[in-house]
């Protein structure tokens, strides 16, 4: 798909578009908007460090951010944006100026062109690079009333400006009436009972496996209306209670039907081996990995983000909308599986904080749910999927210089692509003042 290009000539116009590109309103965050030539190609969000954090902690975080930016191919410029609840009226200069200066210096030392460095505070906005920035900052109305939205052709970007939430609202529960929940619960119990009978009745199980084909249901689910019917929601909910089905449907949502078929065939092969050998699934997988069997590692590599091929963003967004509704409809005991799917899909899009909210909800229901525990380890480690740093297919074709003229207020006529940007984020709680100043930047 050819990207929609929106030119932001002034800093306030750029700030008006950044939340639209991220898909949410950043709070207490440091966001690095990366450029490849004149176009954005990624955004990295970290929690903003404490205002009274030691100087060396600021240096460590800035070094890590610069190091992660270096992993994105072809990035040559950046605009850091600090989002803070602090006030211009209460600050000497621009809020969070000490951290911004350290971050800017580290980015420049790493070879990036610093197009601007901006702050959006509780009461105003400003540029750390503008010596004439008013003491009280510029009014936030410059951003909210930016003419950039009027310049966007409706057919090119019909959803700009789109209503945005915060990171937290991305995981807020969806309201479902009690009657719907009760009908879903009855269907869910019925399907579970039928599957339990089917396991002991080969003819019934064969019929049910056709009716509840996880590959077909996963693909059909992306076309269901929202909210789905209770029958469809119950079928999906029953299927994902099985860890192999859960993982297969999850990766199929992200990477397409072909990947779902591959994962389903692997699951069937393992089920047959379990039946024939009496060994556990974990033992079988470990043995095949030790033997160098690539099929044993494939789905695991996807789930750990160890491949550079990017998932399908549109499919994931549809799946997230569906699963949030299914969770709201589901009995509480059946929610950990779809909540973990939501967590992984959010992480696959780069939104680790939202993923963390879903994991917390799953663990609150079942503290021993294994996938929730593993996802919690993945998120707290700060690991990001390798595809976050890959160049999107077709991006090279769009990167040709279009001869943009310099703008006196914003350095260059920065073109922001609302569907080429790849947002990803990390956490920074692991840093403390015992870190050595010269330690290497972590990869995430």
């Amino acid at each position: 798909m050819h990207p929609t290009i929106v030119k932001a000539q002034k800093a306030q116009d750029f700030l008006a578009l950044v939340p639209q590109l991220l898909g949410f309103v950043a709070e207490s965050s440091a966001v690095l908007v990366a450029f490849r030539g004149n176009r954005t190609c990624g955004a990295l969000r970290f929690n903003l460090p404490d205002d009274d954090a030691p100087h060396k902690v600021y240096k460590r975080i800035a070094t890590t951010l610069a190091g992660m930016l270096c992993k994105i191919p072809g990035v040559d410029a950046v605009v850091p944006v600090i989002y803070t609840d602090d006030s211009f009226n209460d600050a000497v200069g621009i809020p969070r100026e000490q951290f911004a200066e350290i971050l800017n210096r580290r980015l420049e030392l790493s070879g990036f062109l610093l197009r601007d460095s901006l702050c959006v505070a509780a009461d105003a906005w400003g540029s750390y690079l503008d010596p004439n920035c008013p003491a009280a900052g510029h009014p936030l109305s410059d951003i909210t009333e930016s003419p950039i939205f009027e310049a966007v052709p409706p057919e090119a970007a019909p959803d700009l400006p789109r209503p945005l939430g915060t990171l937290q609202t991305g995981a807020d529960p969806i309201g479902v009436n009690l009657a719907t929940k009760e009908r879903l619960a009855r269907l869910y119990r019925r399907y579970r009972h039928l599957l339990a009978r089917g396991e002991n009745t080969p003819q019934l199980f064969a019929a049910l496996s056709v009716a509840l084909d996880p590959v077909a249901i996963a693909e059909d689910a992306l076309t269901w209306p929202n909210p789905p019917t209770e029958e469809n929601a119950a079928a999906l909910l029953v299927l994902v209670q099985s860890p192999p089905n859960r993982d297969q449907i999850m990766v199929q949502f992200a990477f397409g039907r072909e990947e779902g078929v591959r994962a389903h065939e692997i699951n069937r092969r393992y089920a047959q081996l379990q039946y024939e050998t009496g060994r556990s699934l974990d033992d079988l997988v470990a043995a095949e990995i030790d033997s160098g069997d690539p099929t044993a590692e494939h789905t695991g590599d996807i789930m750990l983000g160890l491949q550079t091929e990017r998932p399908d963003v549109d499919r994931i967004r549809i799946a997230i909308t569906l699963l949030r509704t299914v969770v709201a409809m589901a009995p509480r005991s059946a929610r950990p599986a779809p909540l973990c799917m939501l967590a992984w899909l959010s992480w696959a899009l780069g939104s680790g904080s939202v993923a963390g909210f879903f994991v917390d909800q799953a663990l609150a229901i079942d503290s021993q749910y294994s996938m929730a525990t593993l996802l919690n380890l993945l998120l707290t480690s700060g690991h990001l999927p390798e595809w976050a740093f890959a160049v999107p297919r077709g991006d090279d074709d769009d990167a040709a210089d279009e001869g943009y003229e310099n703008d006196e207020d914003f350095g260059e006529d920065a073109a922001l692509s609302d569907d080429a940007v790849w947002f990803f984020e990390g956490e920074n709680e692991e840093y403390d003042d015992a870190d050595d100043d010269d330690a290497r930047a972590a990869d995430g």
Side-chain angles (χ1 to χ4, degrees), residues 61-80:
I61 293 172
T63 300
T64 297
L65 286 168
M68 295 182 75
L69 202 62
C70 288
K71 291 183 67 175
I72 308 176
V75 170
D76 52 17
V78 61
V79 176

Side-chain angles (χ1 to χ4, degrees), residues 168-178 180-181 225-228 317-330 335 339 342 358 361:
Q168 175 65 65
T169 57
D172 281 347
I174 294 173
V176 175
N177 65 57
L178 182 59
T180 298
K181 292 182 179 181
N226 189 40
R317 287 175 175 162
I318 293 170
I320 285 175
T321 299
L322 167 67
L323 288 169
R324 289 185 66 202
T325 305
V326 170
V327 166
M329 297 169 69
R335 292 177 181 174
L339 282 169
L342 279 166
F358 289 127
Q361 291 176 41

Side-chain angles (χ1 to χ4, degrees), residues 35-197:
F35 286 79
R36 186 181 298 121
N38 283 343
R39 296 185 185 177
T40 54
C41 60
L44 171 64
R45 189 204 74 86
F46 261 65
N47 294 338
L48 196 62
D50 293 339
D51 199 15
D52 58 354
H55 185 269
K56 64 166 56 178
V57 172
Y58 284 171
K59 290 181 66 176
R60 295 294 301 121
I61 293 172
T63 300
T64 297
L65 286 168
M68 295 182 75
L69 202 62
C70 288
K71 291 183 67 175
I72 308 176
V75 170
D76 52 17
V78 61
V79 176
V81 185
I82 303 295
Y83 291 90
T84 175
D85 293 330
D86 295 347
S87 165
F88 270 77
N89 287 333
D90 297 333
V92 178
I94 301 178
R96 299 305 186 101
E97 194 161 15
Q98 183 184 15
F99 175 64
E101 288 178 354
I102 292 172
L103 177 59
N104 293 343
R105 186 163 58 250
R106 174 55 59 189
L107 290 169
E108 289 185 313
L109 287 172
S110 298
F112 298 108
L113 169 65
L114 200 67
R115 290 191 166 178
D116 208 335
S117 180
L118 303 168
C119 173
V120 179
D123 56 352
W125 70 274
S127 170
Y128 296 108
L129 304 186
D130 181 7
N132 299 315
C133 181
H138 301 286
L140 292 175
S141 59
D142 289 350
I143 302 172
T144 58
E145 299 173 7
S146 169
I148 195 73
F149 299 122
E150 299 175 6
V152 179
E155 66 275 11
D159 296 329
L160 287 176
R162 52 184 167 173
L164 298 174
T166 63
L167 281 170
Q168 175 65 65
T169 57
D172 281 347
I174 294 173
V176 175
N177 65 57
L178 182 59
T180 298
K181 292 182 179 181
E182 290 176 344
R183 287 193 296 270
L184 186 283
R186 287 195 296 271
L187 285 166
Y188 174 74
R189 288 193 296 269
R190 180 186 174 208
Y191 290 163
R192 294 272 287 183
H193 178 66
L194 286 172
L195 281 176
R197 286 180 57 201

Side-chain angles (χ1 to χ4, degrees), residues 123-339:
D123 56 352
W125 70 274
S127 170
Y128 296 108
L129 304 186
D130 181 7
N132 299 315
C133 181
H138 301 286
L140 292 175
S141 59
D142 289 350
I143 302 172
T144 58
E145 299 173 7
S146 169
I148 195 73
F149 299 122
E150 299 175 6
V152 179
E155 66 275 11
D159 296 329
L160 287 176
R162 52 184 167 173
L164 298 174
T166 63
L167 281 170
Q168 175 65 65
T169 57
D172 281 347
I174 294 173
V176 175
N177 65 57
L178 182 59
T180 298
K181 292 182 179 181
E182 290 176 344
R183 287 193 296 270
L184 186 283
R186 287 195 296 271
L187 285 166
Y188 174 74
R189 288 193 296 269
R190 180 186 174 208
Y191 290 163
R192 294 272 287 183
H193 178 66
L194 286 172
L195 281 176
R197 286 180 57 201
E199 290 176 356
N200 298 315
T201 309
Q203 295 83 0
L204 179 59
F205 186 77
L208 285 172
S209 67
V210 174
L212 296 178
D213 176 4
V215 173
I217 285 182
E219 210 60 25
D220 288 345
L222 298 179
T223 67
W224 291 346
N226 189 40
T229 65
E230 288 92 344
E231 290 81 2
N232 283 340
L236 180 63
L237 194 60
V238 165
L239 282 174
V240 300
Q241 300 308 308
S242 162
N245 286 340
R246 177 200 62 207
D247 297 348
Q248 170 247 304
I249 291 171
M250 188 175 69
V251 298
Q252 184 174 338
F253 279 160
F255 288 93
R257 188 179 188 281
E258 183 178 338
E259 194 57 60
V261 170
R262 186 205 305 264
H264 185 53
E265 289 301 319
I266 292 173
N267 291 341
R268 291 180 62 180
R269 183 167 61 84
Y270 282 140
Q272 183 65 29
L273 286 172
Q274 283 181 275
Y275 175 77
E276 293 173 355
T277 65
R279 301 175 68 185
S280 72
L281 178 62
D282 289 343
D283 286 344
L284 291 169
V285 173
E288 291 197 354
I289 290 175
D290 289 342
S291 70
D293 185 345
T295 61
E297 300 180 5
H298 182 78
T299 301
D301 284 353
I302 290 177
M303 293 179 64
L304 291 174
L306 300 180
Q307 67 172 39
T308 57
E309 179 188 353
R310 288 185 170 185
D312 188 312
V313 173
D314 291 336
R315 289 175 64 95
I316 290 182
R317 287 175 175 162
I318 293 170
I320 285 175
T321 299
L322 167 67
L323 288 169
R324 289 185 66 202
T325 305
V326 170
V327 166
M329 297 169 69
R332 187 173 186 272
S333 61
R335 292 177 181 174
L339 282 169

